[in-house]
Amino acid sequence: MKRVSFMVMFLGVMAFSSAAVQAAEQCPENLSHLGKEMDALLEGVHVKEFKRTMRSVLQASIPQAIERADGIKAQMAFLRKEIQHQVRVEKSADFIARDVSKNPDGPLKSCKRPEENGYCHTVERYFMAKAANLANRAFLKALECYQRQGYH
């Protein structure tokens, strides 16, 4: 009898633990929670199409994106490579902008739209890489969450 009650108690604890883990890990439906952070980065970008695309990415349904993808693992592998590429772009642009501006410290400052020079293009590329990686990292984290929930 003790054995049966122990098993019932054990199974009850396991069911509670599983439900608690699932309740604790709610995967995001979209990336809209990044809106303010993205807007701050996009202030340094003048390419309207890029800004529009990045804002629409934040509103896109993650579950629908998973359904349309060739598989969650393939999408995660692609995002990891894309993040590495954008990190290289960001670091390169940061290095060049600081070298040109002779500003080794502090945040990079975006240019006004009429300004057309190497520094301004480099800083814009820096902010574009940062914005892309903000979205890519959050999307990768969301995909990892969905994968833990059993999505393939």
Side-chain angles (χ1 to χ4, degrees):
M1 185 69 171
K2 288 183 181 182
R3 207 179 220 182
V4 171
S5 63
F6 173 76
M7 286 301 289
V8 169
M9 185 175 84
F10 176 76
L11 291 173
V13 168
M14 290 302 292
F16 175 76
S17 298
S18 178
V21 167
Q22 285 181 341
E25 184 171 38
Q26 293 293 323
C27 301
E29 293 286 319
N30 59 42
L31 302 177
S32 61
H33 63 279
L34 298 174
K36 288 183 181 179
E37 193 173 353
M38 182 63 74
D39 284 343
L41 290 171
L42 293 178
E43 285 181 20
V45 177
H46 300 292
V47 179
K48 290 178 183 168
E49 297 82 22
F50 181 81
K51 292 169 95 165
R52 193 175 15 251
T53 299
M54 293 311 296
R55 287 185 176 120
S56 69
V57 162
L58 298 184
Q59 303 305 317
S61 167
I62 295 171
Q64 286 179 0
I66 292 170
E67 288 175 19
R68 285 179 285 189
D70 292 336
I72 199 166
K73 287 183 182 181
Q75 185 64 33
M76 289 168 63
F78 169 79
L79 282 170
R80 286 186 183 104
K81 287 181 183 177
E82 183 61 21
I83 289 167
Q84 289 174 347
H85 170 72
Q86 292 300 333
V87 165
R88 286 191 299 275
V89 169
E90 179 186 329
K91 286 181 179 180
S92 171
D94 181 70
F95 177 80
I96 292 167
R98 290 183 190 286
D99 186 51
V100 168
S101 70
K102 308 293 188 227
N103 175 20
D105 300 315
L108 294 175
K109 295 185 178 24
S110 61
C111 299
K112 303 284 185 233
R113 188 59 186 149
E115 295 180 64
E116 295 288 332
N117 59 45
Y119 172 80
C120 292
H121 288 291
T122 302
V123 169
E124 184 172 45
R125 198 172 81 211
Y126 168 83
F127 283 113
M128 290 171 86
K130 297 265 304 173
N133 262 347
L134 175 65
N136 286 338
R137 284 184 174 125
F139 189 54
L140 178 60
K141 186 176 176 182
L143 290 179
E144 290 168 344
C145 179
Y146 279 95
Q147 185 181 42
R148 286 190 299 272
Q149 297 292 326
Y151 284 76
H152 301 286

